[in-house]
């Protein structure tokens, strides 16, 4: 059996561009892609914290250090510049792989610069 597990995420990335007339995808600063372990053309899920919209597309590499998070094509209708996104990718893992499994979590500031990384999400308190 394979389980679909969170592979990685970029938490609270700020949308810098919404380009409706561009081939669909999200262009992501290459430094963020590398830190999260996301690959160009990998399927990603995006959850808009600012308005509740959710969509699936694929990642494109933007210039390293640019801070770019550009939501393109039809997905551009689901965001506005300045919105906050969680961008995540998933992987199918076997039971054996789960023994060593840890997601790569990347946290960014308002300029999409990495503030810290982690491999677990703190337990939610009541």
């Amino acid at each position: 059996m394979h389980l679909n597990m969170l592979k990685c995420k970029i938490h609270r990335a700020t949308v810098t561009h919404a380009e409706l007339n561009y081939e669909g995808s999200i262009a992501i600063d290459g430094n963020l892609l590398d830190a999260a372990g996301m690959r160009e053309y990998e399927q990603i899920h995006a959850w808009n914290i600012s308005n509740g919209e959710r969509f699936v597309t694929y990642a494109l590499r933007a210039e390293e250090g640019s801070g770019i998070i550009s939501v393109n094509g039809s997905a551009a209708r689901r965001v506005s510049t300045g919105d906050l996104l969680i961008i995540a990718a998933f992987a199918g893992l076997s039971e054996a792989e789960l023994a060593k499994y840890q997601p790569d979590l990347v946290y960014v500031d308002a300029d999409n610069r990495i503030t810290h990384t982690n491999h677990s999400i703190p337990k939610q308190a009541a």
Side-chain angles (χ1 to χ4, degrees), residues 32-66:
L32 299 179
L33 283 180
D34 293 343
M38 286 181 191
R39 298 187 183 225
E40 189 168 25
Y41 305 113
E42 182 173 9
Q43 179 180 317
I44 57 94
H45 295 249
W47 305 309
N48 190 327
I49 297 167
S50 301
N51 68 17
E53 291 280 355
R54 293 170 165 253
F55 53 95
V56 177
T57 187
Y58 59 93
L60 285 179
R61 179 175 290 273
E63 182 180 347
E64 285 76 6
S66 65

Side-chain angles (χ1 to χ4, degrees), residues 9-23:
K9 77 171 181 174
I10 302 168
H11 193 74
R12 298 181 68 88
T14 302
V15 174
T16 60
H17 302 79
E19 303 288 343
L20 182 61
N21 295 310
Y22 184 83
E23 189 172 346

Side-chain angles (χ1 to χ4, degrees), residues 3 25 30 39 43 58 71 77 79 85 118 121 125:
L3 297 171
S25 61
R39 298 187 183 225
Q43 179 180 317
Y58 59 93
V71 180
R77 294 196 182 276
V79 302
L85 299 180
N118 209 337
I121 298 170

Side-chain angles (χ1 to χ4, degrees), residues 120-126:
S120 65
I121 298 170
K123 291 195 186 310
Q124 185 169 341

